[in-house]
Amino acid sequence: MTQTHSDYRLSQLDQLEAESIHIFREVAAEFEKPVLMFSGGKDSIVMLRLAEKAFYPAKIPFSILQVDTGLDFPEVMETRDRWVARLGVNLVVASIDDAIKNGIIPDAAKISRNRLQIPTLLNAIEEHGFTAAFGGGRRDEEKARAKERVYSHRDEFGQWDPKNQRPELWSLYNGRLHEGEHMRIFPISNWTELDVWDYIGREDIEIPSIYYSHQRRVFERDGMLMSETPLNPLRDGEVVEERTVRFRTCGDITLTGCVESTASTIAEIIDEVAVARKTERGATRGDDRFSEAAMEDRKKEGYF
Amino acid sequence: MAGTNTGYGMDLLRFATAGSVDDGKSTLIGRLLLDSKAIFEDQLEAVEATSEAKGYDYTDLALLTDGLRSEREQGITIDVAYRYFATPNRKFIIADTPGHVQYTRNMVTGASTADLGLVLVDARQGLTEQSRRHAVILSLLRVPHLVLAVNKMDLVGFDQTVYEKIYAEFTQFATKLNVPDLEVIPISALQGDNVVTRSENMPWYSGPTLMHHLEHVHVASDRDLIDARFPVQYVIRPKSDEFHDYRGYAGQVAGGILKPGDEVVVLPSGMTSKIAKIDLFDQEITEAFPPMSVTVHLEDDVDVSRGDMIARVKNAPSPSQDIDAMICWMTTTPLQPRQKLAIKHTTRTGRALVKDIQYRLDVNTLHRDQATNELGVNEIGRVTLRTTVPLLCDPYSKNRTTGSFVLIDEATGVTVGAGMING
Ligand SMILES: Nc1nc2c(ncn2[C@@H]2O[C@H](COP(=O)(O)OP(=O)(O)OP(=O)(O)O)[C@@H](O)[C@H]2O)c(=O)[nH]1
Ligand SMILES: [Mg+2]
């Protein structure tokens, strides 16, 4: 039996959970072929947990989709595989390398893998005929995300039109689509970074080990601490040294920086997040730093 | 974020800003976030840099929430921005909505889920048509708490008589609306007076600061815990060996309290049964109440599917295909009699035929214009609909979930109307 509610009040975390579960069930009921976009990061793991709860004891009634950039942290892949095995869900991997090989996207060595994720993702959505794709985006992450609906409509080119979003009233979501269009669904829109950590702690669920403090060989670039890896050759003047670090987000290994930290438990991470002076993306995501509208521009094109 | 706590015990307050264009809504939210230390260094630095580049004399705090490129270019809010902050006991979800009349639909979006509406008025201008329209919308949406923030007090020399005049004008207007709880606070969003810290410029004001009010406003009694309503969202049938006979009805409780043993009726079929058990993930629970998402099991093998509603035998809504509702119309093609639209109400979808437009509400005078035969964009009126499926509804005044619906244009797929059922 769970906690009693003598005053019939739900804590804010329980309210967020209930709202997200409602969204998962709504999508499963109304869309022909939903898919959950899984990056392996903490937000997509929280999504998986919520989906697990929404349909328990039935299996999650849709596949999960991962865009394999070829630049993912190995620890993230390991965690992904354990989650997939435990839940018995179907995993679809859309690989950027395959997309290049098959001529679906140009092999533009100069284009960042981050941008190549977009056509790879859109191609996978089209190829599999997915009509709704769950994403782990949170509105507190970034100011363009703060504007996005829970059901975010994408036209036949996969694009978002931020100036012309559908009204979204109460919890009455409108999932109408035309041929070739799809919907991005953000079930944890209203969660903050702290809520996500609280929830991971409360649910006691596995996340990739790189979120916890560990020793790592790193070098400094653009004010961020980057992981040493053959995928990301050193530039002039960059020196590698071992530091005690952890990651605040999991992205492309060549663009995602870490922070110095000794936080090795969820409680310690929460303490750290609670006093952080920089946003998780601003602090450690090279892909968001290009310009003030970097996220908005990528989202318009069809980014997560 | 500094000044925040973990979320276990905290409660939640959702509030939405409202008011005319340039009354200072986004600036106020920026100020609130800044003074409650919910702004990160990199966010503030970006906004300071942009303000400087644009040659402003001060940091434009509205840039903290105006997150779209076109918003920054035009200096106005176009769509709702959702922002978050927390104090030790409460988490706040803010919907910063646009004041521009063209984007009223986005204001309605932000306000539909709010527990509190924060209407801003520019002290120099007093109430405008748009402040009245927004107050009317908040009242129609039954947002239970209202704050009128008389802003830009710095531009009127912090003059008490200006505040009192607007106060009087608004309370006069509000008597004609449904405003159960009103607080009127004189502020300067730009300088921070009475936002988080008490203003030294307005010693004549003895009421709470905005932040104090937001932290303490009592929202516990706003929910309906009497009339049990459970719209069935999804039927869970695992089809696995371990859970071979499992058949649960998943949904979010929309009203009242559900308990195992309750005698229930399934609508619209009218079949009766008893609640066998209620699951929350892998736990059995003794009661479920709003807004919990749970799975209900019935004792009998009755036919239940998505769109049905489980209610108490002695307290159930009566299914109806003739709907009398207030509608906010949100698209440029006007709403007219004989028009056919898709309708979504709880987990039910059907089609609706517009039988009659009873009147249009003049948002300035609250006069009911019965001569009209259509509702234009951003207009509000009372409409009669005939639906293809019976709606299992309550008056919106009793239940914001079972009393609301949206209208969808079947050709474009766009949400074009927000409805609140009368009764
Ligand atoms: N002097 C003074 N100026 C203010 C105050 N509050 C807002 N402003 C200014 O008023 C202008 C409009 O402010 P915004 O916050 O963008 O207004 P808004 O209500 O969000 O406007 P929309 O979202 O477009 O409806 C900006 O230039 C602000 O700096 C105040 O308290 N005092
Ligand atoms: Mg604004």
Side-chain angles (χ1 to χ4, degrees):
Chain A
M1 204 83 6
T2 50
Q3 67 268 50
T4 54
H5 302 272
S6 53
D7 54 354
Y8 299 107
R9 292 190 61 69
L10 279 189
S11 76
Q12 70 100 12
L13 201 57
D14 286 324
Q15 289 189 49
L16 291 175
E17 181 189 59
E19 176 180 276
S20 303
I21 288 176
H22 171 82
I23 295 163
F24 272 109
R25 289 170 173 169
E26 208 53 21
V27 172
E30 289 202 318
F31 285 86
E32 243 165 76
K33 203 170 174 189
V35 69
L36 186 148
M37 299 188 289
F38 186 77
S39 71
K42 62 183 187 311
D43 303 312
S44 41
I45 285 175
V46 164
M47 275 207 299
L48 261 190
R49 175 62 165 181
L50 291 162
E52 175 186 10
K53 287 190 162 191
F55 304 103
Y56 182 89
K59 276 189 192 162
I60 296 175
F62 37 79
S63 302
I64 74 174
L65 169 67
Q66 197 200 7
V67 177
D68 176 4
T69 58
L71 300 172
D72 298 298
F73 288 91
E75 295 89 340
V76 173
M77 296 298 98
E78 288 159 21
T79 302
R80 175 197 78 183
D81 291 341
R82 276 190 291 272
W83 270 92
V84 167
R86 185 173 75 72
L87 297 178
V89 288
N90 180 41
L91 172 69
V92 177
V93 177
S95 126
I96 291 184
D97 287 323
D98 290 349
I100 294 172
K101 246 183 267 152
N102 300 332
I104 289 159
I105 54 174
D107 179 15
K110 293 285 171 293
I111 302 179
S112 89
R113 290 257 154 171
N114 197 282
R115 287 207 96 93
L116 291 178
Q117 284 183 72
I118 302 173
T120 309
L121 170 69
L122 292 176
N123 180 66
I125 288 175
E126 197 174 310
E127 188 186 313
H128 293 270
F130 294 127
T131 51
F134 293 102
R138 307 187 325 263
R139 288 168 174 161
D140 82 321
E141 268 180 279
E142 204 281 332
K143 59 190 179 308
R145 285 202 198 276
K147 294 270 159 181
E148 196 161 10
R149 301 279 189 262
V150 172
Y151 274 37
S152 183
H153 181 260
R154 300 304 155 105
D155 66 14
E156 60 270 52
F157 301 102
Q159 300 182 95
W160 178 51
D161 181 3
K163 277 186 73 179
N164 207 8
Q165 300 191 83
R166 290 179 179 175
E168 190 164 80
L169 298 122
W170 299 289
S171 47
L172 290 170
Y173 301 104
N174 172 3
R176 299 258 166 161
L177 293 175
H178 291 110
E179 189 65 32
E181 299 174 344
H182 73 276
M183 203 70 87
R184 294 289 169 84
I185 314 278
F186 298 102
I188 59 166
S189 285
N190 286 325
W191 297 51
T192 63
E193 185 183 9
L194 214 47
D195 295 328
V196 165
W197 284 116
D198 265 343
Y199 195 68
I200 290 168
R202 183 181 94 172
E203 301 290 304
D204 194 18
I205 48 182
E206 186 197 341
I207 52 168
S209 56
I210 62 169
Y211 280 114
Y212 299 102
S213 174
H214 58 286
Q215 296 295 114
R216 180 173 290 265
R217 289 176 55 78
V218 294
F219 60 93
E220 215 169 296
R221 177 178 294 170
D222 303 331
M224 292 190 296
L225 287 180
M226 310 301 294
S227 211
E228 180 192 42
T229 158
L231 301 167
N232 200 7
L234 292 183
R235 296 177 191 157
D236 278 353
E238 292 175 340
V239 266
V240 174
E241 53 186 332
E242 189 162 292
R243 302 256 193 111
T244 307
V245 298
R246 66 176 207 87
F247 287 83
R248 277 178 78 186
T249 69
C250 284
D252 174 332
I253 198 167
T254 65
L255 284 171
T256 307
C258 48
V259 292
E260 280 190 276
S261 166
T262 55
S264 53
T265 63
I266 297 287
E268 284 166 1
I269 292 174
I270 289 174
D271 285 344
E272 202 181 271
V273 171
V275 296
R277 298 308 309 142
K278 282 199 158 91
T279 60
E280 54 190 325
R281 287 192 160 261
T284 62
R285 286 298 278 270
D287 38 340
D288 288 330
R289 291 183 149 191
F290 301 131
S291 84
E292 207 187 7
M295 176 66 92
E296 179 178 347
D297 292 342
R298 276 180 299 153
K299 286 190 81 64
K300 279 185 191 157
E301 285 174 37
Y303 187 68
F304 303 106
Chain B
M1 280 189 272
T4 52
N5 224 334
T6 61
Y8 287 104
M10 275 199 251
D11 74 1
L12 184 61
L13 180 84
R14 297 182 197 242
F15 71 92
T17 61
S20 297
V21 84
D22 278 353
D23 281 352
K25 298 178 288 299
S26 301
T27 306
L28 175 61
I29 298 314
R31 166 62 62 193
L32 210 48
L33 295 173
L34 191 67
D35 287 1
S36 62
K37 311 232 173 349
I39 293 294
F40 294 95
E41 271 168 17
D42 50 322
Q43 292 172 321
L44 188 61
E45 280 162 14
V47 164
E48 283 168 349
T50 309
S51 300
E52 209 180 291
K54 290 194 167 193
Y56 298 163
D57 294 343
Y58 52 82
T59 302
D60 185 358
L61 296 175
L63 294 171
L64 287 166
T65 62
D66 287 339
L68 300 176
R69 189 199 296 276
S70 4
E71 294 180 323
R72 288 191 297 275
E73 282 166 7
Q74 297 174 42
I76 60 163
T77 305
I78 291 171
D79 210 332
V80 201
Y82 292 93
R83 299 304 305 253
Y84 306 83
F85 76 100
T87 58
N89 299 315
R90 217 166 232 189
K91 175 180 168 179
F92 300 89
I93 300 184
I94 309 169
D96 180 33
T97 76
H100 201 292
V101 64
Q102 187 186 339
Y103 305 116
T104 303
R105 60 176 188 276
N106 297 333
M107 179 272 171
V108 180
T109 290
S112 66
T113 49
D115 306 304
L116 180 144
L118 179 55
V119 182
L120 270 81
V121 175
D122 185 327
R124 297 169 304 174
Q125 312 206 326
L127 293 189
T128 61
E129 171 168 345
Q130 192 62 352
S131 10
R132 292 198 183 87
R133 175 181 280 109
H134 281 183
V136 170
I137 292 173
L138 290 169
S139 129
L140 278 176
L141 286 168
R142 298 260 165 185
V143 174
H145 307 273
L146 205 63
V147 173
L148 179 73
V150 180
N151 189 32
K152 308 199 185 181
M153 286 301 291
D154 55 305
L155 297 181
V156 295
F158 299 103
D159 183 352
Q160 181 175 7
T161 55
V162 174
Y163 165 77
E164 275 170 357
K165 187 167 159 285
I166 294 173
Y167 191 145
E169 196 185 352
F170 189 81
T171 35
Q172 166 74 23
F173 183 68
T175 51
K176 296 185 240 168
L177 303 174
N178 185 291
V179 180
D181 172 36
L182 174 69
E183 191 72 46
V184 185
I185 308 177
I187 63 164
S188 167
L190 194 66
Q191 301 183 1
D193 296 77
N194 288 335
V195 178
V196 172
T197 44
R198 178 159 286 285
S199 170
E200 286 172 11
N201 296 312
M202 292 177 274
W204 45 264
Y205 173 74
S206 58
T209 61
L210 176 61
M211 180 66 120
H212 185 273
H213 183 65
L214 292 173
E215 276 193 284
H216 294 92
V217 61
H218 186 67
V219 288
S221 49
D222 297 338
R223 292 162 313 148
D224 175 7
L225 292 172
I226 308 293
D227 310 296
R229 301 286 186 263
F230 187 73
V232 175
Q233 228 190 330
Y234 191 88
V235 181
I236 296 182
R237 301 249 14 217
K239 303 199 175 141
S240 65
D241 293 340
E242 192 187 348
F243 296 98
H244 191 80
D245 296 319
Y246 190 102
R247 183 189 183 88
Y249 307 110
Q252 187 165 24
V253 183
I257 299 161
L258 302 172
K259 294 193 182 84
D262 282 353
E263 306 228 357
V264 293
V265 56
V266 179
L267 297 172
S269 72
M271 306 282 279
T272 56
S273 184
K274 265 189 188 167
I275 295 181
K277 64 171 181 140
I278 304 172
D279 288 340
L280 184 71
F281 185 41
D282 58 358
Q283 309 270 317
E284 260 185 71
I285 56 172
T286 51
E287 45 192 4
F289 53 90
M292 289 169 88
S293 279
V294 297
T295 304
V296 171
H297 297 253
L298 299 184
E299 282 185 358
D300 308 282
D301 205 3
V302 290
D303 180 2
V304 183
S305 56
R306 173 174 169 85
D308 292 352
M309 179 180 286
I310 296 173
R312 298 293 298 272
V313 171
K314 292 206 175 72
N315 175 352
S318 41
S320 170
Q321 285 176 257
D322 293 297
I323 307 297
D324 172 10
M326 297 302 293
I327 305 263
C328 287
W329 191 245
M330 304 188 289
T331 192
T332 43
T333 336
L335 177 73
Q336 288 171 327
R338 288 181 306 284
Q339 199 166 332
K340 292 191 183 102
L341 296 146
I343 185 167
K344 186 168 180 186
H345 170 260
T346 65
T347 56
R348 243 169 195 246
T349 333
R351 301 181 74 207
L353 171 71
V354 180
K355 297 286 279 189
D356 182 31
I357 297 183
Q358 303 176 41
Y359 61 80
R360 174 174 51 206
L361 196 66
D362 181 319
V363 292
N364 264 314
T365 58
L366 298 178
H367 172 74
R368 298 169 176 190
D369 174 11
Q370 288 168 337
T372 187
N373 214 16
E374 59 176 43
L375 286 185
V377 62
N378 301 319
E379 290 187 335
I380 299 164
R382 186 163 180 172
V383 173
T384 319
L385 303 172
R386 171 83 186 169
T387 57
T388 51
V389 293
L391 300 191
L392 313 164
C393 56
D394 294 292
Y396 186 77
S397 55
K398 271 183 75 184
N399 189 315
R400 282 172 88 180
T401 307
T402 56
S404 56
F405 60 84
V406 291
L407 296 171
I408 298 165
D409 183 312
E410 295 189 294
T412 62
V414 172
T415 307
V416 288
M420 289 142 280
I421 296 167
N422 290 320

